[in-house]
Amino acid sequence: KDVLSTNQHSTYKLNACVAPSFQKEYIKLINEELKNEEDQNFVKKFKNVSDDNVFVIRPNSPSVNLDAYREYEHKFRFIYPATPLEYKNHKIIINAIKVIKETNPCLLEKFEVIFTCDETSFVGKLVKKYNLEDVVLCIGTVSYDKMMEYYKNSDVLLFPSKIETYGMPLIEAAKFGLEILAADLSYANEVLEKYNNKIFIGQNDKKEWAKQIEKCIMIKDKVINNNKILQNEKEQTWSSFFEIVSSIL
């Protein structure tokens, strides 16, 4: 069976029966939004698909022992774990920091932003171009355990990505009780639906990103861990996925 998965106005064909952020209402996607005739025909095939044949499968979210990771003193820290790809939208964070540098330069001494990008990447080069190396640290790829340690020693997750199937860092950061500033897009609204400590911002609104970053720094209150986002035991996960696939084959 094929699956229709949409993200904004893009469609993807998957040789499976589910997609991580699949929404039943996507089946009713307006064909006019799809410019490609092939995509339009693909959507039409699923026009009358019964809800019983639509499965919502979320990635497994492993439990995290928060006490297993050391805590150390640091500046007020924002973190954005993402590969240096255009759609990950690092530029909006860089542009927001440029706004802060222009309007409130003294604030730059009070915080730092961690990117998991190499200094030689296009993101690292932008940071250097705008002389933001003292604020934005490009640390490169890190291991899972090191990433967990960074979560524990961070205050806010930045997540401006324009396209995601799920956005696993949103789940991971929520387990550590971080404030989350995320792009106001469907994937983030879905994943963070039950998490209280989040703010959604227009994906291209640099002034609003700057405003919310400043607000986080000024408040400086570490948020109490809110685990409402953690996966419901009754929710279908990858084990359910393989059971469904086995039943089809």
Side-chain angles (χ1 to χ4, degrees):
K1 294 185 179 180
D2 287 328
V3 161
L4 170 65
S5 171
T6 68
N7 201 317
Q8 294 298 89
H9 302 325
S10 300
T11 55
Y12 305 89
K13 300 176 186 178
L14 305 177
N15 293 318
C17 60
V18 292
S21 60
F22 194 89
Q23 294 286 325
K24 293 183 179 181
E25 59 266 28
Y26 288 171
I27 292 295
K28 302 173 184 177
L29 183 68
I30 300 174
N31 288 335
E32 284 74 14
E33 293 183 346
L34 303 173
K35 307 301 182 184
N36 185 289
E37 183 177 354
E38 182 182 358
D39 286 340
Q40 291 179 6
N41 292 332
F42 181 71
V43 171
K44 288 176 183 178
K45 288 199 305 180
F46 291 88
K47 184 176 181 180
N48 298 315
V49 171
S50 166
D51 284 355
D52 293 336
N53 290 328
V54 177
F55 303 90
V56 178
I57 305 294
R58 300 176 186 272
N60 289 339
S61 178
S63 60
V64 177
N65 180 5
L66 305 185
D67 295 329
Y69 302 98
R70 70 186 181 96
E71 193 165 3
Y72 50 82
E73 291 187 9
H74 54 82
K75 283 185 178 181
F76 192 91
R77 178 179 288 169
F78 297 85
I79 189 163
Y80 183 29
T83 50
L85 298 170
E86 288 286 347
Y87 73 86
K88 292 293 187 179
N89 205 18
H90 292 81
K91 287 182 181 179
I92 196 65
I93 304 303
I94 293 173
N95 288 335
I97 297 171
K98 285 172 59 184
V99 170
I100 296 173
K101 185 176 181 179
E102 294 166 1
T103 60
N104 194 359
C106 293
L107 198 63
L108 296 181
E109 300 177 358
K110 298 182 179 181
F111 73 98
E112 62 185 11
V113 177
I114 302 290
F115 285 160
T116 53
C117 302
D118 291 327
E119 293 180 352
T120 56
S121 68
F122 83 91
V123 174
K125 290 177 181 178
L126 280 177
V127 171
K128 186 174 182 179
K129 176 181 178 180
Y130 297 116
N131 298 314
L132 298 175
E133 300 101 311
D134 291 338
V135 182
V136 182
L137 308 179
C138 295
I139 63 172
T141 304
V142 297
S143 67
Y144 175 81
D145 282 338
K146 189 66 176 178
M147 190 68 249
M148 295 302 106
E149 185 175 286
Y150 269 113
Y151 282 134
K152 187 165 185 177
N153 291 280
S154 296
D155 300 279
V156 181
L157 173 75
L158 302 173
F159 209 78
S161 181
K162 296 181 178 181
I163 302 174
E164 293 291 330
T165 53
Y166 194 70
M168 188 60 76
L170 298 172
I171 294 285
E172 295 169 342
K175 288 182 177 181
F176 285 88
L178 300 189
E179 175 97 21
I180 297 176
L181 304 184
D184 190 8
L185 294 171
S186 58
Y187 76 84
N189 281 270
E190 178 185 353
V191 172
L192 296 174
E193 180 182 6
K194 297 180 180 179
Y195 190 63
N196 295 328
N197 195 31
K198 83 275 186 173
I199 295 174
F200 296 118
I201 308 171
Q203 59 182 339
N204 297 317
D205 191 341
K206 64 180 181 182
K207 290 184 178 179
E208 186 61 23
W209 279 94
K211 175 183 175 181
Q212 294 301 332
I213 287 172
E214 286 189 8
K215 187 179 292 187
C216 288
I217 298 166
M218 299 306 293
I219 294 174
K220 283 193 173 181
D221 288 332
K222 187 77 174 181
V223 179
I224 297 174
N225 192 22
N226 177 341
N227 283 333
K228 288 185 179 180
I229 195 173
L230 301 188
Q231 195 159 287
N232 188 325
E233 291 181 358
K234 296 181 180 179
E235 207 169 58
Q236 289 183 312
T237 59
W238 285 119
S239 59
S240 306
F241 167 80
F242 291 113
E243 290 176 5
I244 295 167
V245 171
S246 297
S247 69
I248 294 172
L249 298 178

